[in-house]
Amino acid sequence: MMMGRLALLLLLAFASLQLFCFADDDNNDDDVVFYESFEESFEGRWIVSNKDDYKGLVALGVDIDVVFGAAGLWKHSKSEGHEDYGLLVSEKARKYAIVKVVDEPVSLKDGTTVLQFETRLQSGIECGGAYIKFLRPQEAGWKPEEFDNESPYSIMFGPDKCGTRNKVHFIFKHKNPKNGEYVEHHLKYPPSVPSDKLTHVYTATLKRDKEVKIMIDGEEKKKANFLAAEDFDPPLIPAKTIPDPDDKKPEDWDDKEKIPDPNAVKPDDWDEDAPMEIEDEKAVKPEGWLDDEPEEIDDPEATKPEDWDDEEDGVWEPPKMYNPKCAIAPGCGEWKRPMKSNPAYKGKWSPPLIDNPNYKGVWKAREIPNPNYFELDKPDFEPIAAIGIEIWTMQEGILFDNILIAKNEKVAKSYRETKWKPKFEVEKERQQAEEEASGLDFLASIKRKVFNALYQIADIPFLSNYKPQIL
C-alpha cells in the first residue's frame, strides 16, 4: 500500500513538473524579439532623421534628454501621473521621424508574430497620427539618418485621426512576384481610435494561417484574412482578368438609354416667358402699417468721436439702429404686395424622353488575362529590420511606450497585464474622480460615453459601409 501511494505521489510530481516546464516554454524569453520600455534615455540608441523636414540635433538636459528637430521635439519624459517613462511628441503642428534598428531582422514567415505598443494622447487628438512603421532591411534603399515618409516598410500599424478619418491603421506592403512592384494593402473597415486621454495598448497578431487580429486594450476589435478580397483594399491576390486597355468603344456605339422624343411638339398654350412668381393681388396692407416710419434710424445715443477729423475721415454719420416703433407695428416703410408662385409658370419647354431604339447598353472593354495575376497560399512578407515613428500631428503630448515584437501571444498578454493595465487602471480612477469633483463633468462624461458608443457602433461589421456617416 505504501509503495502504491509513493508511486502515485511521484507520478503527480512528475506531471506537475512537466506542466511547469510546458508553461515556462509558453512564456520563453526567446519569444521576445524586440522590446523598448524607454526607461533609459533613447539618445544614442534611436536615430532622429536628419532630413530637412525632421532634422535634429541632441541636447542633454538635467532631468530629461531631449532631441530637438527643426520640425519637432522628441522628449524622454514621464507619462503624466506616473513614474513610467516614454517617448514624447512635445510640440504641435510638427513633423517627426525617429528610428531604431533591431539587432537581427525579424521574419514574419514563421509561426506567430505579435506587434504591440502603447500610446497615450495626453492632450487629446483632433488631427494627427500615432502609428508605427515596421521597416524593411536597409538593402531596400533607405538609411536610418535619412528615414522619412518614403522609407520602405513591411507593416504600418496604429491610431490615426483627423476630421472624419478615425481609424487604427493596419497596412502592409507586398511584392507582386510577377512585376516586382510593391503594393500597399489597407485593412478595410479598421477599428476606431479611443476618444480619451488614457494610455491604450494596440496589438496586431499575424498568424501563418493567413490571419491578422487587431486588439485594443486586449480586446479583439477586428479579424481579417490576408488572402480575402473583402478584407483588404486592394486585395492581395489581383483579379484574374482586367479590361483590355487597347479595346476602344466603337464610334457608333450608342449608350444613351433615353433620348428626347423627336416627334414631340411644344403645346400652343406653353408660355416660356411667364415669371416664376407674381404679386399677390389679393393681399391687403395690414392695419397700423407705418408708411412714414423708416425701418432704421440714427442711434440717438451715438456721439461723434473726439478724434474724428471731417477732412480726413469724411462727414461723420451716427450709426443706424432698428426703429423701435417698427417693433410694435405690423411693419414700416413703403408697403408692397408680397409675391406668390405663378400658377401659369411652366419654364422652358423641352421634349419628353423616350426609350432610345438604338441603345446598346453601357459599353465595357473586353476582359483579358491579367499579366500581373498570381496565386499564393500565404503572404510573402518582408522581414522587419527597424521600428520607425514618422508622423505629422497638430497635437502635442503623444507618448509612445513599451514597443514589443514577440513570437508568442501569451508573452504579449503578459506585457499588457504587467506594463499597461496598472497604468490604465490608475488613469481611469483619476479620470472618474476628476469628473465627480467637477460640476460640468457630468455633461462631459455623458458626451464621451455617447461618442464611445458611436465609435463602437461604427465598428460593427454590417455597418462598415456607413462608418464615415456615423463618425
Side-chain angles (χ1 to χ4, degrees):
M1 181 68 70
M2 182 65 70
M3 292 297 294
R5 290 180 179 178
L6 180 61
L8 180 59
L9 288 172
L10 287 173
L11 182 61
L12 289 172
F14 177 76
S16 300
L17 180 62
Q18 290 292 99
L19 288 172
F20 175 80
C21 292
F22 286 141
D24 187 59
D25 286 343
D26 285 342
N27 249 337
N28 198 313
D29 288 341
D30 292 340
D31 289 332
V32 178
V33 181
F34 173 86
Y35 176 60
E36 173 61 83
S37 67
F38 294 108
E39 287 307 302
E40 298 179 359
S41 168
F42 59 86
E43 191 273 319
R45 300 185 301 112
W46 288 69
I47 300 171
V48 176
S49 174
N50 62 17
K51 297 291 285 285
D52 289 342
D53 283 346
Y54 324 96
K55 197 170 183 179
L57 53 92
V58 177
L60 298 181
V62 177
D63 297 322
I64 58 173
D65 294 326
V66 177
V67 176
F68 175 74
L73 184 67
W74 291 106
K75 286 185 178 180
H76 179 230
S77 179
K78 291 180 180 179
S79 179
E80 292 179 3
H82 302 291
E83 293 300 314
D84 186 45
Y85 281 88
L87 179 64
L88 181 68
V89 171
S90 65
E91 294 181 313
K92 62 177 65 176
R94 294 290 188 269
K95 290 183 177 181
Y96 294 82
I98 192 169
V99 68
K100 175 72 170 71
V101 178
V102 300
D103 294 335
E104 294 289 338
V106 181
S107 173
L108 302 177
K109 297 182 179 181
D110 301 315
T112 297
T113 303
V114 184
L115 310 175
Q116 182 169 285
F117 66 98
E118 297 173 16
T119 61
R120 185 181 183 189
L121 310 175
Q122 297 180 142
S123 302
I125 189 165
E126 293 299 325
C127 190
Y131 42 79
I132 288 180
K133 293 181 177 180
F134 299 89
L135 298 148
R136 290 160 51 197
Q138 295 178 47
E139 289 77 13
W142 70 282
K143 298 178 181 178
E145 298 80 7
E146 299 175 1
F147 172 51
D148 63 8
N149 185 50
E150 301 300 321
S151 298
Y153 63 84
S154 287
I155 292 173
M156 174 175 149
F157 172 53
D160 186 19
K161 181 181 178 184
C162 191
T164 58
R165 185 181 72 240
N166 183 322
K167 62 178 73 175
V168 178
H169 285 291
F170 184 87
I171 307 169
F172 71 95
K173 286 191 175 182
H174 193 275
K175 183 179 180 179
N176 184 310
K178 286 291 186 71
N179 58 22
E181 294 181 359
Y182 283 87
V183 179
E184 199 173 81
H185 303 275
H186 293 243
L187 177 67
K188 285 185 179 180
Y189 316 122
S192 301
V193 182
S195 58
D196 55 42
K197 300 178 183 180
L198 309 180
T199 300
H200 294 283
V201 58
Y202 297 88
T203 309
T205 303
L206 288 70
K207 295 187 175 181
R208 292 312 299 152
D209 58 1
K210 316 174 190 115
E211 178 185 279
V212 60
K213 180 172 61 177
I214 306 297
M215 302 174 72
I216 302 177
D217 299 344
E219 180 181 348
E220 183 178 313
K221 296 291 186 179
K222 179 77 176 183
K223 186 181 288 185
N225 188 315
F226 287 114
L227 304 183
E230 62 271 17
D231 286 346
F232 285 90
D233 184 27
L236 176 60
I237 307 297
K240 287 186 177 182
T241 62
I242 59 171
D244 185 353
D246 298 324
D247 190 16
K248 307 298 180 184
K249 183 171 72 172
E251 293 182 2
D252 61 348
W253 189 279
D254 195 339
D255 55 8
K256 294 185 290 294
E257 189 173 356
K258 299 283 185 178
I259 60 171
D261 185 354
N263 299 319
V265 179
K266 183 173 71 172
D268 294 335
D269 61 348
W270 192 287
D271 185 0
E272 292 184 337
D273 299 325
M276 185 182 295
E277 291 185 329
I278 57 174
E279 285 188 355
D280 185 358
E281 296 294 339
K282 295 181 180 180
V284 179
K285 182 169 66 174
E287 291 185 11
W289 189 278
L290 305 178
D291 296 271
D292 299 327
E293 287 290 341
E295 292 185 358
E296 290 185 336
I297 60 173
D298 293 340
D299 185 352
E301 298 182 2
T303 57
K304 181 179 179 179
E306 293 181 1
D307 59 349
W308 188 277
D309 189 328
D310 289 336
E311 292 185 0
E312 292 186 6
D313 302 324
V315 179
W316 180 81
E317 294 180 358
K320 298 292 185 180
M321 61 174 286
Y322 182 70
N323 189 344
K325 293 181 181 180
C326 298
I328 57 176
C332 292
E334 181 185 358
W335 180 81
K336 295 180 180 180
R337 285 188 174 88
M339 304 297 287
K340 70 172 186 177
S341 298
N342 182 5
Y345 173 75
K346 294 185 177 181
K348 187 173 179 61
W349 181 84
S350 59
L353 297 177
I354 62 171
D355 292 336
N356 182 2
N358 298 318
Y359 176 64
K360 294 185 176 180
V362 178
W363 183 85
K364 293 182 180 180
R366 63 174 174 268
E367 294 285 316
I368 61 172
N370 184 356
N372 296 319
Y373 173 75
F374 63 90
E375 293 184 359
L376 283 178
D377 293 330
K378 55 188 178 181
D380 187 18
F381 289 112
E382 298 283 344
I384 295 172
I387 291 92
I389 304 173
E390 189 279 323
I391 58 175
W392 175 88
T393 178
M394 292 300 294
Q395 266 70 47
E396 77 283 12
I398 301 175
L399 190 80
F400 293 88
D401 199 7
N402 293 320
I403 302 173
L404 172 72
I405 302 177
K407 288 293 183 178
N408 189 313
E409 291 186 80
K410 292 184 179 180
V411 170
K413 180 179 180 181
S414 173
Y415 275 73
R416 289 196 301 270
E417 294 293 325
T418 59
K419 304 293 183 180
W420 164 76
K421 194 170 184 178
K423 289 187 294 185
F424 179 77
E425 295 296 340
V426 169
E427 293 164 13
K428 197 171 181 180
E429 289 180 9
R430 185 184 298 119
Q431 175 183 271
Q432 186 174 354
E434 290 174 353
E435 289 176 355
E436 293 174 353
S438 174
L440 54 83
D441 280 289
F442 175 74
L443 205 56
S445 175
I446 293 297
K447 186 174 76 170
R448 185 173 61 252
K449 288 177 181 178
V450 170
F451 284 166
N452 285 336
L454 286 172
Y455 287 137
Q456 292 178 12
I457 291 170
D459 287 337
I460 297 174
F462 73 85
L463 292 176
S464 297
N465 292 334
Y466 304 99
K467 184 172 183 176
Q469 290 90 328
I470 295 172
L471 295 180

